[in-house]
Amino acid sequence: MKAAVLREIGGPQQVRIEEASTPVLKPDELLIRIKFAALNRRDVWITHGLYPGMQLPAILGSDGAGEIVAIGEQVTDLQIGDAVIINPALNWGDNPHFNGPDFSILGMPQNGTFAQYVAVSHKQVYPKPNHLTWEEAAALPLAGLTAYRALVTRGQIQKNETVFIPGIGSGVALFALQMAVTLGAKVFVSSSSDEKLEKAIKLGATGGVNYRSENWAKELKKQMGGADLIIDCVGGDTFNQLLNLAKPGGRIVNFGATTGPVPKLLLPKLFFKHLDIRGTTMGSPQDFAGMLELITNHQIHPVLDRSFLLEEIQEALFHMEKGNHFGKITVKIPEEK
């Protein structure tokens, strides 16, 4: 089969399309012919060696959707030909509140979805929502799961609350926007791009600000008042602004630090306002099922940025690395000739 393989770190240019062996199934596994895959920031970090537990060589890719073409002997609940999407959160464990010590993510160290075939445990697959195309289904798993857990499980979003999502444009942030609007919240966003702010408003955001403006936080506070819930993956110098923007008794849920660590946390703001700061990442099987139910019941469609062929995987990774995309970047996987 054709696969995108990373054998040494050094950036996206190190990923090569190679002929690889089709996976041999374990008794509890399925062989899935991938129709579409999707990129995550994680894939770019791995090419630079900036990810915990680096083990190379590896076939990258956490997100994918396709058809079951072979079934392990212990699998009785699925059939060849079933259309499925993959939950990339492997070995979460029994505790729904926190992943266990064996947790990992598909696409390094376990070979991932940038290939014509992938083998995964039958516990990791779910029926593809009928309202989604193959491309949309592939765009959903990692980002949709992360957004759902941050917003619903950890954020405990309620109808009519005010939600702030910094850095709109990434897959997770856009899913959080769509889900929050669907659940009846009033959502505000920020971006360095006025064009992205306009697109977010078309998706249901009530308002937003360009964080490159000098007084962006004051402008946002004027627009929205305070936020009941803030969903943050930015961290860095701006995190203390979130303490100012949160309402007394508000919640801040963080799942990343794309601009680096918080230099000096303003603790008085935290305790005088009785704020909750909650961490999260990925999600449990229960979260994945809940995310799918929300997406299906409300007919939510992922926001797509651009699609590449598998042979263009380096270009796709560079496109993500630049950070100008709005929505998910997908990869069309060729059928076997």
Side-chain angles (χ1 to χ4, degrees):
M1 67 174 185
K2 292 189 186 324
V5 181
L6 179 69
R7 294 189 175 278
E8 57 182 303
I9 62 173
Q13 66 270 24
Q14 297 294 341
V15 181
R16 304 279 195 273
I17 302 300
E18 299 181 5
E19 289 291 333
S21 298
T22 302
V24 177
L25 290 186
K26 297 176 182 177
D28 68 335
E29 288 186 333
L30 305 164
L31 186 65
I32 300 171
R33 182 173 64 204
I34 299 294
K35 298 277 192 176
F36 267 90
L39 273 67
N40 293 283
R41 180 67 60 177
R42 174 181 193 271
D43 299 306
V44 175
W45 288 337
I46 290 171
T47 68
H48 291 286
L50 301 175
Y51 205 86
M54 289 291 298
Q55 294 182 32
L56 300 180
I59 297 172
L60 302 185
S62 302
D63 286 335
E67 291 180 345
I68 298 173
V69 295
I71 296 177
E73 59 189 32
Q74 292 179 0
V75 181
T76 59
D77 56 339
L78 294 159
Q79 296 181 342
I80 290 175
D82 285 354
V84 296
I85 64 172
I86 301 168
N87 175 3
L90 308 177
N91 305 311
W92 178 272
D94 297 328
N95 185 351
H97 304 296
F98 186 72
N99 56 270
D102 297 327
F103 175 74
S104 65
I105 300 172
L106 188 66
M108 199 290 296
Q110 182 171 326
N111 286 334
T113 58
F114 296 167
Q116 289 177 307
Y117 297 94
V118 67
V120 294
S121 166
H122 69 103
K123 296 178 181 179
Q124 299 302 129
V125 302
Y126 294 73
K128 180 182 83 68
N130 290 329
H131 74 287
L132 299 182
T133 65
W134 284 115
E135 183 181 13
E136 290 173 331
L140 179 59
L142 191 150
L145 173 61
T146 303
Y148 180 89
R149 184 173 178 85
L151 194 71
V152 178
T153 306
R154 299 290 287 148
Q156 298 177 311
I157 185 173
Q158 302 296 316
K159 187 176 181 180
N160 297 323
E161 286 191 322
T162 298
V163 177
F164 173 45
I165 305 173
I168 201 67
S170 72
V172 179
L174 286 169
F175 277 123
L177 166 61
Q178 291 175 286
M179 291 176 186
V181 170
T182 296
L183 293 170
K186 184 184 293 186
V187 184
F188 292 82
V189 299
S190 69
S191 174
S192 62
S193 163
D194 290 338
E195 182 182 0
K196 288 184 179 182
L197 293 175
E198 291 173 7
K199 289 180 178 179
I201 289 171
K202 289 180 180 178
L203 287 170
T206 301
V209 295
N210 189 317
Y211 62 74
R212 295 196 185 280
S213 61
E214 186 176 352
N215 297 310
W216 70 268
K218 288 184 179 179
E219 182 185 342
L220 181 60
K221 192 76 176 283
K222 185 177 179 181
Q223 280 189 32
M224 75 174 183
D228 299 286
L229 174 61
I230 299 174
I231 304 296
D232 176 55
C233 72
V234 178
D237 291 333
T238 63
F239 191 84
N240 283 314
Q241 294 283 15
L242 304 185
L243 303 183
N244 293 324
L245 291 166
K247 288 181 181 178
R251 293 101 64 206
I252 300 172
V253 178
N254 175 270
F255 62 92
T258 56
T259 61
V262 180
K264 291 182 180 180
L265 185 64
L266 298 179
L267 284 177
K269 286 282 185 184
L270 177 64
F271 57 74
F272 279 127
K273 294 180 75 173
H274 296 258
L275 300 178
D276 285 345
I277 298 179
R278 305 173 183 178
T280 187
T281 184
M282 293 292 287
S284 68
Q286 295 92 329
D287 292 321
F288 198 87
M291 178 271 292
L292 280 182
E293 183 178 3
L294 178 62
I295 291 289
T296 301
N297 288 348
H298 295 278
Q299 300 285 287
I300 296 173
H301 290 265
V303 178
L304 302 178
D305 177 79
R306 183 177 168 189
S307 184
F308 293 82
L309 300 176
L310 180 62
E311 291 76 9
E312 301 170 322
I313 190 63
Q314 290 186 6
E315 185 181 351
L317 289 163
F318 280 123
H319 181 60
M320 167 154 276
E321 190 170 43
K322 289 176 183 175
N324 296 323
H325 57 287
F326 188 87
K328 293 291 292 183
I329 301 166
T330 62
V331 180
K332 182 175 175 58
I333 308 299
E335 293 190 12
E336 215 174 12
K337 294 182 179 178

